[in-house]
Amino acid sequence: MSRLVCVSNRISLPRKSAAPGGLAVGVLNALKRTGGLWFGWGGETVDEVPGDPDLHIRDGVTYATVDLRRREFELYYNGYANQVLWPLFHYFLRSMRYNVDERDAYEDVNRMFAQKLLPLLEPRDLIWVHDYHLIPLGRYLREAGVRRPLGFFLHIPFPNIEMLRVLPPYAELLRDLTCYDVVGFQTENDLQAFYSGIEHLFGAEAIRGDGRIRVGDRVIRAEVFPIGVDVATTQNEAMEAMSSDVVRRMYDSLMGRQLMVGVDRLDYSKGLVERFSAYQHFLETYPENVGRITYLQIAPLSRSDVKAYVEIRQALEQASGRTNGRFANTDWTPIRYLNRNFPHATLMGLLRSAHVGIVTPLRDGMNLVAKEFVAAQNPDDPGVLILSNLAGAARELSSALLVNPYDTRAVGNTLQAALSMALPERRERHAAMLQTLKRNDIAAWSRRFVEALEKVDAAESRVRAIGNSV
């Protein structure tokens, strides 16, 4: 049986006190079936050249963590990955800043990852690489002689070629993706955007009738694998958290008011400034709701060393201050804005408590919070999901109230519709979305991708067998 090897920019050893995030749940689900290996940066930066990976075994899974040199981390992660690829892939050209030194560091880190991973590989391994930090890794593994099936999954959007061409080495990026045997995307739109790049670089004839891509003597399988959530675990966590101190204190503090909850990493792609403006418009347009609804926005800090993230934090603090200063009363604060994280189970309890979940990114690969909100609800009395039509999750959760996040007036009006929605309609919408979540849960996502890699392995085995018999 083949062993699965997963590679991601960052990995954390499992801790009893912390529930794993969406990526970790999916990866671990796949790894535990084969007793696999998870390789990546362990979170430490050093001044000297990194040594060999540290190996830890937990529940049959081997975790291999490497350190990064401090300067390379700054250039590779805060620089190229998050000031070039992240804004470009999310269509935020205004925030993109290309720097050759950062590109070189990006290549150096990917080369180092390949060098450190090679001694750990076994002859029957299937290798699954994750996300935009590690696009060139497949090329470096191929150059080192790795011929095993390689898969790559992009967790964020993929830009159309007319956007991608802004990147000076865009052709190299596309060629790097063709070093993989299976390339996975969140949505059909992302897949079509990838095809547009392939057609531009290799010609329309490179895309076969079955959707596969032929480049030279290689055939690449590009498909949509929408990532999901662990529905049963989310439901259980949400129900149990309702009796926790944090959730009970929050619920008691509402004093019977309705609750709207947003949970987003502090990032300019999440549309938080526009969301705060929409909420203020809602209070202005529907003054009967003043004093009757509380908006809880949880936005943990991220990438605090990057200028754009410092600016978004300041903008949100000013926006929430304006709204609270204008509408607050001695016993009511319109916006509770928190720059901190909570345990996953607590977050699920807060989502279950909400009458409205608001998820309005300006662009998002998927957005698992939207799916977690649906899974966390009480089916007998569910809350309403307001969801950006620019999030990948909107392709599946069509029974949510879909909005354009840039249209703050429409978002405010939709909030009013959500708060006044009758119970039968809420139940109907929730049931339809929950059915979709169960069909495309996190286990199905990892299983489908691994099965695609296994098909590549089986096909190559047949070719080898034919060659040996000739």
Side-chain angles (χ1 to χ4, degrees):
M1 183 178 183
S2 298
R3 182 183 70 156
L4 181 64
V5 175
C6 290
V7 188
S8 59
N9 168 66
R10 176 74 188 272
I11 64 175
S12 298
L13 297 180
R15 293 173 294 146
K16 292 182 179 180
S17 61
L23 169 62
V25 171
V27 168
L28 288 173
N29 182 279
L31 289 172
K32 288 179 179 179
R33 294 203 304 268
T34 61
L37 170 72
W38 193 356
F39 178 96
W41 175 49
E44 297 294 327
T45 56
V46 295
D47 292 321
E48 65 275 7
V49 176
D52 294 334
D54 291 327
L55 301 181
H56 307 269
I57 299 177
R58 302 281 194 280
D59 298 325
V61 176
T62 300
Y63 298 81
T65 60
V66 294
D67 298 331
L68 291 177
R69 298 183 73 172
R70 198 162 282 112
R71 173 172 167 75
E72 282 187 338
F73 170 77
E74 180 64 29
L75 295 174
Y76 145 79
Y77 183 79
N78 287 336
Y80 197 77
N82 288 312
Q83 294 195 79
V84 178
L85 296 182
W86 177 271
L88 175 65
F89 281 35
H90 286 83
Y91 289 70
F92 291 106
L93 283 184
R94 184 177 60 184
S95 301
M96 176 182 159
R97 189 202 62 184
Y98 182 78
N99 179 287
V100 174
D101 291 338
E102 293 174 350
R103 163 77 195 288
D104 290 344
Y106 179 72
E107 292 287 334
D108 289 343
V109 169
N110 273 268
R111 185 185 301 110
M112 185 272 286
F113 264 47
Q115 292 169 347
K116 301 294 185 183
L117 176 61
L118 278 170
L120 304 177
L121 295 179
E122 298 176 358
R124 294 287 298 160
D125 285 345
L126 305 175
I127 304 167
W128 186 7
V129 180
H130 290 268
D131 229 359
Y132 62 105
H133 314 86
L134 301 176
I135 292 173
L137 181 60
R139 166 165 49 92
Y140 285 116
L141 291 173
R142 295 298 190 202
E143 290 175 354
V146 174
R147 294 294 175 262
R148 296 296 299 154
L150 291 179
F152 178 85
F153 184 79
L154 184 67
H155 291 258
I156 65 175
F158 192 82
N160 183 275
I161 184 59
E162 293 306 316
M163 178 65 67
L164 186 63
R165 286 171 60 195
V166 173
L167 182 70
Y170 78 91
E172 289 87 342
L173 183 147
L174 286 167
R175 289 192 182 96
D176 283 347
L177 287 171
T178 64
C179 291
Y180 296 93
D181 298 292
V182 180
V183 182
F185 300 95
Q186 298 277 25
T187 71
E188 182 67 26
N189 284 358
D190 300 319
L191 176 60
Q192 293 303 320
F194 179 59
Y195 283 152
S196 74
I198 294 297
E199 182 175 346
H200 171 83
L201 194 61
F202 300 106
E205 64 276 9
I207 304 173
R208 304 191 332 184
D210 61 1
R212 299 190 184 187
I213 298 165
R214 177 174 288 279
V215 177
D217 60 351
R218 290 185 44 73
V219 176
I220 298 97
R221 180 175 177 177
E223 292 188 21
V224 175
F225 301 90
I227 193 170
V229 297
D230 186 334
V231 176
T233 298
T234 300
Q235 290 173 328
N236 291 335
E237 284 184 340
M239 287 188 291
E240 292 176 2
M242 292 298 290
S243 60
S244 68
D245 289 341
V246 173
V247 176
R248 287 178 64 89
R249 288 199 306 270
M250 185 281 302
Y251 189 82
D252 291 343
S253 72
L254 293 175
M255 300 177 66
R257 299 184 180 94
Q258 292 181 298
L259 175 67
M260 178 172 74
V261 173
V263 179
D264 306 83
R265 183 167 48 80
L266 189 62
D267 187 285
Y268 52 79
S269 69
K270 300 302 182 182
L272 295 176
V273 172
E274 290 79 5
R275 190 185 303 172
F276 280 25
S277 296
Y279 182 62
Q280 179 167 316
H281 168 80
F282 162 76
L283 294 175
E284 293 169 346
T285 308
Y286 304 98
E288 66 273 18
N289 291 293
V290 172
R292 298 176 59 186
I293 179 173
T294 294
Y295 170 23
L296 173 62
Q297 177 62 55
I298 299 172
L301 300 178
S302 69
R303 304 166 188 163
S304 56
D305 295 333
V306 179
K307 181 182 178 182
Y309 295 88
V310 175
E311 294 173 349
I312 190 69
R313 181 182 182 183
Q314 293 173 344
L316 289 172
E317 289 171 350
Q318 293 171 1
S320 60
R322 283 194 300 270
T323 299
N324 287 338
R326 179 176 174 184
F327 293 100
N329 210 324
T330 55
D331 63 344
W332 174 66
T333 302
I335 301 178
R336 299 182 187 180
Y337 171 49
L338 305 179
N339 285 136
R340 55 164 293 192
N341 209 341
F342 292 87
H344 187 265
T346 301
L347 289 175
M348 296 307 99
L350 294 173
L351 291 179
R352 188 178 179 89
S353 303
H355 298 84
V356 176
I358 186 160
V359 182
T360 53
L362 304 181
R363 188 170 292 272
D364 220 336
M366 178 53 66
N367 197 294
L368 293 181
V369 172
K371 295 187 173 186
E372 288 176 326
F373 174 82
V374 173
Q377 294 305 297
N378 176 359
D380 294 328
D381 187 18
V384 179
L385 175 63
I386 298 177
L387 178 61
S388 166
N389 59 14
L390 301 178
R395 308 303 185 276
E396 297 176 85
L397 304 182
S398 56
S399 292
L401 296 183
L402 300 179
V403 296
N404 185 314
Y406 289 98
D407 190 344
T408 55
R409 178 179 297 180
V411 175
N413 293 340
T414 301
L415 174 54
Q416 174 67 8
L419 292 171
S420 58
M421 187 180 294
L423 179 59
E425 183 178 355
R426 286 191 279 125
R427 285 177 174 170
E428 182 180 356
R429 289 175 178 270
H430 176 262
M433 292 188 288
L434 187 61
Q435 183 178 16
T436 298
L437 294 190
K438 290 179 177 179
R439 184 171 61 249
N440 293 330
D441 68 359
I442 190 69
W445 169 73
S446 61
R447 184 184 67 252
R448 290 166 185 163
F449 197 98
V450 173
E451 286 174 352
L453 279 177
E454 290 172 340
K455 289 180 180 177
V456 172
D457 191 26
E460 292 181 351
S461 297
R462 287 194 295 271
V463 171
R464 287 193 298 268
I466 294 171
N468 292 333
S469 65
V470 174

